[in-house]
Amino acid sequence: MPGDLPVILHHFDESPFSEKIRLVFGLKKIAWTSVLISRIMPRPDLMPLTGGYRRTPVMQIGADIYCDTQCIIRELERCFPTPTLFPGGNEGLALASAMWTDKSFFQNTVNLVFGSLADKVPQSFIEDREKLRGAKFDIAAMTAAIPQMRDQYRAHVGWVETQLADGRSWLGGNEVSLVDINAYMNLWYVRSNLPIADELLAEFPRVRAWEARVRAIGHGARTEMSTAEALEVGRNSSPRTQEAGDPHDANGRKVGDLVDVRPDDYGKIAVRGRIVSLSAHGIAIRRHDDIAGDVVVHFPRAGFLVTPAG
Ligand SMILES: N[C@@H](CCC(=O)N[C@@H](CS)C(=O)NCC(=O)O)C(=O)O
């Protein structure tokens, strides 16, 4: 535990990105606090903490709020360095692997899952995601694309099988790393939703054995807290992030600048605040919220837009 504060994860059980973080808890044997949030908006106890960022999961340590799994994972590695997520000196590649697993591989996985679930997807969920994306969540098109999605999924899973071909236990070698957790999310999501998971993996024996090894990592020690209690923790805490400028910032941004931060793909809701710290990989902004009080919200740089505000 970082000092006296609980590590809180705002998530829902069906969320594949949350599964990555739950596995990091398992790998590092972290005792954590689960706050179950609704799968769709509104999330009235969470938005005061994030300032409007609405993707899942979000990690909270007191009044420091971590958005996006890239950012959450970096903070967990900093606070709980042992065992490392980056054995054997592969930190850069392991972190960069998210741009494969979370983008093209995941897009493919999501289309396969929702296209196959078809009319089982609740209308309320479709409406919520259309609002988030600002575009049609076109289940019929996803269903029509299933043959292509199966081809693509096979290619992605095929790379995992190829990587395991020399008999290694984990994608990076003999020790588990972040690459395993990143890639596994896409298998977990299909297995959690589609009865054809076994059929899709039938030709990949090494992947099936690896999948079982990753699953066995587990989720660490989980206890539950309500959304209202988590908001109370935020309100009763002060942010602990130290100020840190970045002399190499490509745009000359400085601590104290007022900026908007938003994802660059969809759900482009801006969170506004003053820079507390920034680096090539992270930006933290301070904001005041009438309900949550003073909070510092952390984002990664890759996949996010930072623009001057005001
Ligand atoms: N890049 C984000 C992606 C997170 C993401 O897309 N999560 C899904 C749920 S698993 C989501 O937020 N869906 C919309 C929502 O829950 O509001 C991350 O790594 O955390």
Side-chain angles (χ1 to χ4, degrees):
M1 200 178 288
D4 49 331
L5 293 168
V7 175
I8 296 173
L9 189 73
H10 297 256
H11 68 135
F12 49 89
D13 285 326
E14 304 86 346
S15 157
F17 284 89
S18 304
E19 181 64 11
K20 289 206 296 187
I21 304 304
R22 294 184 294 247
L23 284 168
V24 173
F25 290 147
L27 188 58
K28 290 180 175 289
K29 300 196 177 7
I30 294 172
W32 58 287
T33 302
S34 154
V35 171
L36 286 172
I37 57 172
S38 151
R39 270 185 92 181
I40 59 174
M41 295 293 266
R43 297 175 184 139
D45 290 335
L46 180 56
M47 291 306 109
L49 293 168
T50 67
Y53 176 83
R54 62 145 291 181
R55 288 165 85 172
T56 308
V58 168
M59 184 172 80
Q60 174 189 356
I61 299 177
D64 280 283
I65 311 298
Y66 298 86
C67 301
D68 194 285
T69 52
Q70 283 185 75
C71 184
I72 296 170
I73 285 166
R74 286 174 63 84
E75 184 62 11
L76 288 175
E77 179 73 8
R78 196 182 70 81
C79 295
F80 304 93
T82 314
T84 178
L85 291 166
F86 312 112
N90 285 318
E91 181 166 351
L93 272 183
L95 290 167
S97 73
M99 295 295 130
W100 160 49
T101 59
D102 298 14
K103 302 265 182 194
S104 64
F105 194 175
F106 183 65
Q107 201 50 56
N108 175 222
T109 303
V110 142
N111 288 352
L112 186 60
V113 167
F114 284 103
S116 306
L117 292 176
D119 53 11
K120 292 199 198 75
V121 183
Q123 190 55 34
S124 56
F125 183 87
I126 294 172
E127 283 165 14
D128 179 76
R129 294 312 195 252
E130 286 186 340
K131 210 165 162 201
L132 174 68
R133 286 161 189 253
K136 194 166 160 58
F137 195 73
D138 196 341
I139 302 269
M142 293 185 217
T143 305
I146 286 176
Q148 280 67 41
M149 290 305 120
R150 285 189 66 149
D151 285 345
Q152 301 294 313
Y153 191 76
R154 184 177 181 223
H156 286 292
V157 177
W159 285 330
V160 178
E161 182 79 8
T162 301
Q163 188 67 11
L164 298 168
D166 62 3
R168 65 183 60 193
S169 295
W170 306 101
L171 295 178
N174 294 325
E175 289 175 87
V176 59
S177 77
L178 179 61
V179 187
D180 298 287
I181 289 172
N182 280 347
Y184 172 81
M185 167 182 80
N186 291 290
L187 286 96
W188 178 87
Y189 199 40
V190 165
R191 191 168 286 291
S192 309
N193 286 286
L194 303 183
I196 57 163
D198 281 330
E199 187 194 319
L200 294 172
L201 299 185
E203 65 178 303
F204 300 122
R206 293 184 191 281
V207 171
R208 294 200 308 274
W210 165 85
E211 185 194 16
R213 280 193 288 278
V214 182
R215 191 183 313 120
I217 291 170
H219 290 166
R222 167 175 169 167
T223 50
E224 303 295 328
M225 178 185 273
S226 71
T227 58
E229 285 171 299
L231 179 55
E232 201 57 28
V233 169
R235 203 187 350 242
N236 293 335
S237 310
S238 298
R240 295 185 176 177
T241 306
Q242 300 293 315
E243 289 190 355
D246 175 4
H248 303 295
D249 184 83
N251 292 284
R253 296 187 189 91
K254 296 196 171 42
V255 169
D257 287 358
L258 187 66
V259 293
D260 286 330
V261 185
R262 52 166 77 78
D264 71 355
D265 46 4
Y266 66 90
K268 297 182 184 174
I269 299 159
V271 181
R272 180 166 293 186
R274 291 200 181 274
I275 295 175
V276 178
S277 74
L278 78 168
S279 72
H281 300 297
I283 180 163
I285 58 175
R286 181 183 296 275
R287 39 179 302 278
H288 178 80
D289 185 275
D290 288 345
I291 301 171
D294 284 334
V295 292
V296 168
V297 190
H298 301 246
F299 297 94
R301 300 302 296 272
F304 281 76
L305 306 173
V306 180
T307 48

